[in-house]
Amino acid sequence: MKTAIINGFIVDGSGEKGYCGNILIDRGRIEKIGSFVPYAEKIIDAHGCVVCPGFIDTHSHSDLKILEHPYNAPKLLQGVTTEILGQDGISMAPLPEEYIDDWRKNLSGLDGESDKIDWHYKTTKGYLDYIERSRTCSNVAYLVPHGNIRMEAMGCDNRAPSKDELERMKEITRREMESGAIGLSTGLIYIPCAYSATEEIIELCRVVAEYDGIFVVHQRSEADLILQSMDEILRVGRESGVRVHFSHFKACGKGTWGLIPQIIQKLDSAKKEGISLSFDQYPYVAGSTLLSVILPPWVQSGGTEKMLERIKDEKTVEKIILEVESGSCGWDNFIDFAGYGGIYITYTGSEKNSALVGKSLEEIGRLWNMHPMKAACRLLCEEENAVSMVDFYGKEEHIKLFLSREEQNVCTDGLLSGTPHPRVYGSFPRVFRKYVREESLLTLETAVCKMTSKAASAMGITDRGRLEVGYCADIVIFDKDKISDRGTYSNPAVFPDGIKLVMVNGETVFDGKNRYNNPKGEVLRRGVKL
């Protein structure tokens, strides 16, 4: 059955000026676009609205939830039709049998926990096949996570790999790229990725570069040591030849804000040098991640169970307090740049501590009559690491500066469990409301480009992100005068206004009022036309 979208203002994702026209869709792809009289069994009148490509979320944490809930409403209802999974170097696959229990605890604060799914898929191929069987309503692509590779090859110990172990890591990387991963991710503040030296990353990225894959990185520091951290990642790009993409690019804390001119200079110099460089960003001054990142890396050596054993010891917790309160420690110290009063709990794995959701570590310390760090350690132990947080770190002027950069595309970085960050429901509409309509920082066409073709190009996706003949019919229709994010930090789980229709591969999944569980989403594997 052919579908026609008529009378819309077409913003095709290229960045070029929009125009009025019609679109004809057949068998999930765009057959015709422009000024013509359409014939189709189904007609959608988009009069007065923008018609654009579906948004691509280049930093998503739906890895687990999409198996439980193939209709991912927080993303679909804000116009996201494609999600890039496998972020921050710790995700679902590969997952050897002997590490399942410990890895689930390590992952729980980031992607949640579930006893409803079958965790025995072992490899990226097994995981992607599992998603296909779940019949998702969204498109997904996967980055093979550095931490999972390291775990399979050598466990979670705080040490360098042997020569044989490094070769094994390269073999695993090659195997997972051959299974359809579009690139490699790492999170150099997360365990066990944080234990790796630059040379290890370069070697893995050499493999990824063979496949023209992308290297997506939560860099080692987004705070005081950001300049050195950027140098490390640019060296990886330079020596391996891999395409580099910085995750959720930002400057955390007052100690970093004065470095902004030097940060910009490094971005400009990398471009002149010819390093392939891009980054994504969510449009908020607060971040969200698992609570355990506030602990020094040495505390987490050996995996989650060993970390939990350590923070049950009072002397160890006192040592942690001294280290984090001394200032810069050679790792991203969230207490230093956000403070106990700027870190709020958003999710606990059990009901026991659910009343703490929405409270800061400072408030929990007062409630439990103990030091805030001791309260954090107690909470992590009681929840077996299944705790996530929001941390306030930034300034609005820096959000605007990075948003305006040519290398930037929009993302959510959305953790879906508990009471989440409002970006889960509102990142993309927020850009249109705040930075296009209210502040005129971006044109409508530029904003759409940053959500669609810019993201597709960064991730190596070739047949999505544009309204073009032959491209997949991932399409969003919205009212440019009404599209708005509605969630707040205290009430984040609120769907946006102004989205009139969302279509995935030619099938409507949302019409502005009703949701349609049309499982036409695809797993986008490298090596198959993306």
Side-chain angles (χ1 to χ4, degrees), residues 70-92:
Y71 191 104
N72 192 3
K75 299 298 185 69
L76 288 169
L77 269 61
Q78 65 172 299
V80 171
T81 56
T82 300
E83 302 186 61
I84 311 300
L85 311 177
Q87 301 290 345
D88 292 325
I90 54 171
S91 186
M92 299 289 284

Side-chain angles (χ1 to χ4, degrees), residues 233-235 237-238 242 244 269-277:
I233 302 309
L234 295 177
R235 178 190 164 196
R238 183 181 301 115
V242 80
V244 171
S269 296
K271 182 178 180 180
K272 289 179 182 177
E273 187 181 342
I275 296 172
S276 177
L277 177 65

Side-chain angles (χ1 to χ4, degrees), residues 11 18 47 70 77 109 120 156 177 387 391-392:
V11 179
H47 178 74
L77 269 61
H120 301 278
C156 295
M177 292 298 293
V387 188
D391 58 288
F392 287 83

Side-chain angles (χ1 to χ4, degrees), residues 393-423:
Y393 63 79
K395 292 183 73 175
E396 180 63 28
E397 65 188 76
H398 301 149
I399 298 293
K400 295 179 183 179
L401 178 63
F402 295 138
L403 185 65
S404 301
R405 293 285 303 188
E406 182 183 4
E407 307 94 331
Q408 189 266 7
N409 69 261
V410 181
C411 73
T412 68
D413 190 10
L415 279 61
L416 296 173
S417 299
T419 303
H421 192 296
R423 66 193 185 191

Side-chain angles (χ1 to χ4, degrees), residues 57 62 65-66 68-81 83 136-138 412 416 420 422-429 492-496 499 502 504 509-510 513-517:
D57 186 359
S62 303
K65 296 294 184 184
I66 206 160
E68 290 188 303
H69 304 289
Y71 191 104
N72 192 3
K75 299 298 185 69
L76 288 169
L77 269 61
Q78 65 172 299
V80 171
T81 56
E83 302 186 61
T136 175
C137 294
S138 309
T412 68
L416 296 173
R423 66 193 185 191
V424 173
Y425 288 78
S427 276
F428 291 84
V494 184
F495 294 107
I499 302 287
V502 180
V504 179
V509 293
F510 180 61
K513 295 180 180 179
N514 303 301
R515 307 176 193 182
Y516 300 93
N517 187 21

Side-chain angles (χ1 to χ4, degrees), residues 228-248:
Q228 298 93 314
S229 178
M230 288 182 68
D231 285 340
E232 176 186 32
I233 302 309
L234 295 177
R235 178 190 164 196
V236 171
R238 183 181 301 115
E239 295 189 20
S240 72
V242 80
R243 296 184 291 116
V244 171
H245 184 87
F246 285 98
S247 292
H248 42 60

